């Protein structure tokens, strides 16, 4: 029987979790990117080979690129977007020449993923990532000061925001702002002014405009992807709903239906992220997987727990709103149909045990992900009867 490929996200030489550490987890594949190269610039074969050799020297393989970032000029289809599109194609050609064929990306405006707290304490004392609607609304209304922001929130949330305003300190306000504006490890954080400027740009583009720009992007890179055998895997919106007035185009079933219909070629694939999708009460994870399973080229397995207003924290991998047994069973059935195993990684993990005393990338400490990988590995083997 085919088993899924076990992979691990690694942020490069500066990652507190070394490749030697990763090897001890049992993962065989690395998911990484050249984070030191500015968005939009070409990844040369020399840079790719250097990173690939570094990974191979630890006895691991570079399985998936996460991510080749899509420059904001492409997302907004601005005047200089054609050059960035050509650069993107050149990077894909170079990756292919180095034997790396699976590329993850996202089409989220400005912000990659958004949380409001990085250290929510769990009952067992470990710390989790958290998205709180009240905190986001406070940031939106009183820090970002977005025009008409209040109209996007319920009366319940607005009342809670006013209560928060009475007690929040300057230090807490700064921490909240820093958390929301935080970039990917190894890359630059977003500034408040930059976010404000881009919100104005995306207000004019809107949902349909952004969706059209994604279609144009995929059609532009299609000849290269088909010729080179590249598998693109788009990551869902995280969280899967509009925030801060920014449009979202890959959050729910209708979005996936549009994407697969708009660009029918097989290179147009999905990164199926259970945690991102489960954060919306509208989503039936099993139904969504059944819809897209033929195009799933990469999987993130993560769990979340939502409250009555839709705020959520990242739960243990086997304990949350996602029935991980049922989704793993569906994934293993699909994997048996493949000639090559689908790569998956334990997405995020609690900061726990000895990692509590270390500086770690939020969500990407070693022990919490090791626990998640061990649980998911065992779940798969149990389902396969091995």
């Amino acid at each position: 029987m085919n088993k899924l490929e076990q992979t691990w996200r690694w942020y490069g030489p500066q990652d507190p979790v070394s490749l030697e550490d990763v090897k001890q987890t049992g993962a065989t594949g690395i998911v990484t990117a050249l984070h030191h190269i500015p968005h939009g610039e070409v990844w040369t074969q020399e840079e790719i080979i250097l990173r690939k050799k570094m990974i191979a020297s630890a006895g691991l393989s570079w399985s998936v690129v996460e991510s080749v970032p899509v420059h904001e000029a492409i997302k907004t289809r601005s005047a200089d977007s054609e050059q960035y599109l050509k650069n993107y194609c050149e990077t894909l050609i170079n990756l292919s020449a180095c034997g790396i064929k699976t590329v993850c990306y996202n089409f989220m405006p400005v912000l990659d993923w958004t949380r409001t707290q990085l250290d929510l304490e769990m009952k067992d004392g470990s710390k989790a990532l958290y998205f709180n609607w009240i905190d986001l609304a406070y940031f939106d209304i009183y820090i970002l000061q977005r025009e008409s922001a209040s109209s996007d929130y319920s009366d319940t949330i607005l009342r809670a925001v006013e209560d928060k305003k009475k007690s929040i300190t300057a230090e807490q306000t700064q921490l909240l702002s820093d958390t929301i504006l935080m970039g990917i490890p190894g890359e630059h954080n977003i500034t408040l002014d930059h976010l404000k400027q881009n919100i104005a740009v995306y207000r004019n583009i809107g949902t349909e405009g952004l969706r059209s720009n994604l279609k144009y992007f995929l059609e532009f890179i299609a000849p290269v992807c088909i010729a080179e055998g590249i598998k693109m895997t788009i990551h869902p919106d995280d969280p899967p709903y509009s925030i801060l007035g920014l449009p979202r185009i890959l959050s729910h079933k209708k979005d996936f239906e549009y994407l697969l219909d708009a660009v029918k070629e097989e290179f147009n694939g999905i990164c199926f992220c259970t945690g991102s999708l489960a954060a919306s009460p509208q989503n039936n994870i099993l139904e969504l997987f059944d819809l897209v399973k033929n195009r799933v080229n990469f999987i993130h397995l993560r769990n979340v727990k939502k409250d009555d207003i839709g705020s959520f924290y990242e739960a243990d991998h086997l304990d949350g709103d996602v029935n991980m047994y049922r989704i793993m069973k569906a994934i293993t059935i699909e994997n048996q149909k493949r000639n090559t195993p689908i790569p998956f990684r334990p997405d995020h993990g609690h900061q726990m045990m000895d990692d509590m005393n270390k500086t770690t990338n939020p969500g990407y400490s070693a022990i919490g992900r090791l626990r998640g990988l061990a649980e998911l590995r065992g779940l798969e083997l149990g389902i396969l009867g091995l």
Side-chain angles (χ1 to χ4, degrees):
M1 287 189 178
N2 293 331
K3 291 187 289 185
L4 298 166
E5 182 187 4
Q6 299 172 32
T7 68
W8 187 276
R9 191 167 191 183
W10 181 65
Y11 285 99
Q14 304 307 314
D15 195 319
V17 184
S18 69
L19 289 171
E20 288 70 26
D21 294 335
V22 175
K23 191 173 182 180
Q24 293 181 30
T25 70
T28 57
I30 290 295
V31 175
T32 193
L34 303 183
H35 297 287
H36 62 288
I37 297 179
H39 291 194
E41 290 191 10
V42 175
W43 293 11
T44 65
Q45 288 191 33
E46 290 75 17
E47 288 278 3
I48 296 166
I49 290 169
L50 185 64
R51 181 61 55 87
K52 188 176 179 180
K53 285 182 176 178
M54 187 181 299
I55 293 167
S57 68
L60 301 162
S61 62
W62 188 352
S63 300
V64 179
V65 177
E66 186 178 356
S67 302
V68 179
V70 180
H71 195 277
E72 285 296 313
I74 297 174
K75 296 176 187 176
T76 60
R77 196 105 175 256
S78 63
D80 53 350
S81 62
E82 295 293 310
Q83 184 58 54
Y84 287 113
L85 284 162
K86 292 175 183 176
N87 289 355
Y88 204 98
C89 287
E90 189 172 345
T91 291
L92 294 179
I93 291 169
N94 290 340
L95 284 166
S96 176
C98 297
I100 303 167
K101 304 280 189 175
T102 303
V103 176
C104 186
Y105 71 104
N106 74 69
F107 223 75
M108 288 181 268
V110 194
L111 302 170
D112 192 283
W113 55 272
T114 304
R115 298 293 184 270
T116 58
Q117 186 178 346
L118 306 177
D119 58 355
L120 181 70
E121 187 166 335
M122 299 287 95
K123 290 181 180 178
D124 62 5
S126 63
K127 295 180 180 179
L129 303 182
Y130 185 39
F131 179 91
N132 184 295
W133 272 113
I134 297 165
D135 289 343
L136 184 84
Y138 179 86
F139 171 85
D140 197 2
I141 296 166
Y142 289 113
I143 301 175
L144 185 62
Q145 298 181 355
R146 180 170 62 92
E147 184 180 354
S148 304
S150 297
S151 62
D152 286 350
Y153 303 98
S154 68
D155 290 341
T156 299
I157 290 176
L158 291 175
R159 285 194 295 270
V161 166
E162 292 308 308
D163 288 339
K164 187 176 191 70
K165 185 184 177 186
K166 297 173 185 175
S167 60
I168 191 169
T169 66
E171 184 180 3
Q172 290 169 333
T173 299
Q174 186 62 54
L175 178 60
L176 175 61
S177 182
D178 291 344
T179 300
I180 292 174
L181 297 173
M182 183 183 63
I184 294 295
E187 300 181 11
H188 296 298
N189 292 345
I190 306 298
T191 67
L192 200 61
D193 285 343
H194 181 72
L195 178 57
K196 288 179 178 179
Q197 292 166 8
N198 278 275
I199 286 172
V201 172
Y202 281 103
R203 185 185 301 120
N204 294 325
I205 293 172
T207 300
E208 291 307 314
L210 185 60
R211 185 173 282 148
S212 176
N213 292 348
L214 171 59
K215 182 173 183 287
Y216 183 78
F217 164 71
L218 289 169
E219 288 173 342
F220 193 99
I221 68 172
V224 168
C225 291
I226 293 169
E228 299 290 338
I230 295 285
K231 297 178 181 178
M232 298 297 293
T233 74
I234 188 169
H235 191 285
D237 300 324
D238 186 8
Y241 24 70
S242 176
I243 58 171
L244 309 177
L246 295 167
R248 295 296 214 199
I249 58 169
L250 203 68
S251 296
H252 301 108
K253 183 179 179 181
K254 61 180 176 57
D255 301 323
F256 288 91
E257 289 173 336
Y258 170 85
L259 176 67
L260 297 182
D261 184 62
V263 182
K264 294 183 170 63
E265 288 87 351
E266 288 189 4
F267 83 89
N268 177 27
I270 307 295
C271 171
F272 194 78
C273 179
T274 56
S276 296
L277 294 168
S280 171
Q282 296 180 39
N283 286 334
N284 180 314
I285 302 300
L286 278 171
E287 182 182 86
L288 270 175
F289 182 76
D290 189 60
L291 172 70
V292 303
K293 61 187 179 184
N294 293 334
R295 298 284 190 86
V296 170
N297 297 323
F298 184 34
I299 297 171
H300 291 179
L301 294 178
R302 173 166 61 82
N303 222 321
V304 296
K305 192 72 175 176
K306 301 183 291 293
D307 65 15
D308 293 341
I309 63 171
S311 300
F312 65 88
Y313 65 86
E314 299 193 355
D316 291 330
H317 286 79
L318 303 188
D319 180 26
D321 294 339
V322 177
N323 185 324
M324 200 60 77
Y325 167 78
R326 295 182 68 192
I327 190 65
M328 179 64 89
K329 186 174 182 180
I331 290 169
T332 56
I333 290 171
E334 175 61 25
N335 194 50
Q336 299 313 302
K337 303 174 185 177
R338 305 290 182 96
N339 292 324
T340 56
I342 305 170
F344 87 93
R345 66 174 178 84
D347 195 17
H348 299 178
H350 291 170
Q351 190 176 20
M352 59 194 304
M353 301 174 67
D354 188 53
D355 281 341
M356 300 279 283
N357 304 314
K358 298 176 181 177
T359 299
T360 62
N361 292 323
Y364 289 96
S365 54
I367 300 172
R369 284 187 291 163
L370 173 61
R371 174 183 174 179
L373 179 59
E375 291 175 342
L376 294 166
R377 177 192 297 136
L379 185 59
E380 182 196 14
L381 292 178
I383 289 168
L384 291 173
L386 299 176

